[in-house]
Amino acid sequence: MPALVTSAIVCALRSHGEHGAIARLLTPDHGLMAGYVRGGRSRAIRPVLLPGNAVKAEFRARTEDQLAGLTVEMAHSRAPLLAEPLAAAAIDWACALTAAALPEGTPYPALYQALDGVLGAVEAAPAARGWAVALIRYELLMLAELGFGLDLTRCAATGGGEDLAFVSPRSAAAVSRAAAMGYEDRLLPLPPFLIEGGSGEWAEILDGLRLTGFFLERSVLTERRADVLAARERLVDRLKRAVA
């Protein structure tokens, strides 16, 4: 098989053998791909394979069923962000979600662009107000791309599109303030920025994370709940402490 050379974002890394590692990268045209990196745990290569880094990747495999050999060159390092607790937690979660949720070999060009945008936002503004909304929108896009999208365009009860303020955990559809009256405690708050665009206040950002987190845990991360969601819990905990 011919080699595949592509740009990619490093999403996950695990040790394999004494010196090697298996890396999982998100590519623009081929989706999530895994490859064996010889010497991947070495002092020279390990910094290149940090989650969030942009790389030039070359995959080589004799057959489609064989795990490809992978070589990587750094295109853009985001390692300096790992010294910032909130930024590091955001990168850790966004990449862990991508690696855990997506099937290998299925193209998701919109997710590649969105993940690159989230990482760029974290890099441009390490303060969480500058990237938290982008992260929530990435999680919503992930749900939609995997077939679990939320309907935030109209009220599930009335069919109208006015004053949407909640989401039904059962139907994953929006509910207007009037239709929700008396049932608010059974519904998930819908942050205004997901309808109107723009940024959000801290309380709205936390509501947004609660909203997407509920559906990710229920529909996407069912088999790897404990280990993957731990990264999200660290992020949310750090956000709460930052705004307390």
Side-chain angles (χ1 to χ4, degrees), residues 119-132:
L119 297 173
V122 174
E123 190 170 22
R129 281 288 294 272
W131 48 257

Side-chain angles (χ1 to χ4, degrees), residues 9-52:
I9 298 169
V10 180
C11 291
L13 184 72
R14 65 178 175 87
S15 299
H16 186 80
E18 187 174 353
H19 302 291
I22 294 176
R24 304 185 78 197
L25 315 180
L26 185 63
T27 68
D29 299 319
H30 301 274
L32 193 70
M33 297 186 66
Y36 173 75
V37 184
R38 187 181 300 274
R41 298 165 61 189
S42 69
R43 189 173 300 178
I45 300 179
R46 184 61 186 261
V48 181
L49 293 173
L50 292 174

